[in-house]
Amino acid sequence: MTHKYRAKLGMAALAGLLLAGQAAVSPAAAATPGAQAPAASAVAYSELSILPGGTTNRSFGINLNGQVAGDSGTASGKIRAVLWNEAGEPTDLGTLPGDDSSTAFSVNNTDTAVIGRSIGTVERAVRWDHNRRITELPGRPGAATTRAYHVNDSRVTVGFSITADGNWHAMRWGADARPTELPALPGDPSAGATWINNLGVSVGASSTAEGRNRAVRWGADGRVTELPALPGHGDSAVTAVNDAGVMVGGSSVTASSPTKAVVWTRGGAVRELPTFPGDTGSYALALAENGVAVGYSVTPAGKHRPVVWKTDGTVHALPFGGPGAGDAYAVQNGVAVGVVTESGAPSRAGVWRR
């Protein structure tokens, strides 16, 4: 798959991360000319605690209970998967035996199942249960990288596995951790999955041998369907899908050209979401059930700014402490989480509350 889509997956919630629920971003509002606004009103910014001795952390997923999944640096200099409780207190989730680093990308609403990766000599997909017991989610045989990006309320999980030939394979794991490969589009050598809703519908991208990404949706039965890019565009990917079947992601002319944030209806019609005024591109990474989407907009200098798209289709910047860059990766109940890097400072797990 192309470097551009890999970058999206590497962020999770494309990954991934990747990566989400959504109910009703209005296609009409998304396409309304001039549906842009300069800043989110009445939004408070804060940062989550770092594990003792660490200097950096990141947040990638949030559930309806206010628990946040991500990672944090430690006193030993390692990165460990973290679950923050409703009070913002972090718990180190640990790693698979023999590994030294991990990241959590998603936490579900029903039984606090957390999924992500554990890293040693290879990168392995994992799931932590409500007792923080860790289970490997097996990838393709011999894969050096397997990553889990999103888990639904039935503990069904999606992600990808990279084989020695460099091809990506979209994966789905059942509640019993058994793996199933989700097919790429006919003729494509690679695919990656970023999100799964509570009806078992998964989304992501399929990639041609030439490196062109095509937005796809897999039904609960595993059958793959291509979704359209914006008119004149040849590269696209879906990052999130909600229980109503609405999807968000990005579309671009080529894999190397600026990306525009988009929303797809349940029927598959695509509409562009507005880029922040004066910026050159954008990407929608997640969508709440009330129709609010989050992601980033790209400044003329190439920096990411965290943004939110309201249900009326307008885009607003999410504030943070000072000059720098940021991405919003997940949103639930009016609370968004993401990663902020202020100028000259380590990355921090950011939280925005309306």
Side-chain angles (χ1 to χ4, degrees), residues 127-211:
R127 183 177 68 215
W128 293 270
D129 67 16
H130 67 282
N131 292 316
R132 307 299 164 254
R133 292 175 297 202
I134 189 171
T135 299
E136 181 177 358
L137 303 174
R140 288 282 297 258
T145 299
T146 300
R147 190 178 300 176
Y149 264 130
H150 190 256
V151 58
N152 70 13
D153 290 346
S154 299
R155 285 180 284 129
V156 181
T157 302
V158 294
F160 66 90
S161 193
I162 305 176
T163 47
D165 57 7
N167 288 326
W168 295 52
H169 302 267
M171 304 295 298
R172 182 175 65 198
W173 295 271
D176 59 1
R178 291 186 182 181
T180 300
E181 184 171 345
L182 296 170
L185 289 170
D188 286 359
S190 290
T194 56
W195 212 279
I196 183 168
N197 69 12
N198 288 317
L199 302 179
V201 174
S202 308
V203 295
S206 180
S207 186
T208 68
E210 297 75 29

Side-chain angles (χ1 to χ4, degrees), residues 281-297:
S282 57
Y283 217 106
L285 300 177
L287 188 62
E289 291 295 339
N290 65 0
V292 173
V294 297
Y296 66 83
S297 185

Side-chain angles (χ1 to χ4, degrees), residues 25-48:
V25 165
S26 165
T32 300
Q36 301 177 348
S41 59
V43 172
Y45 173 71
S46 61
E47 294 175 349
L48 292 168

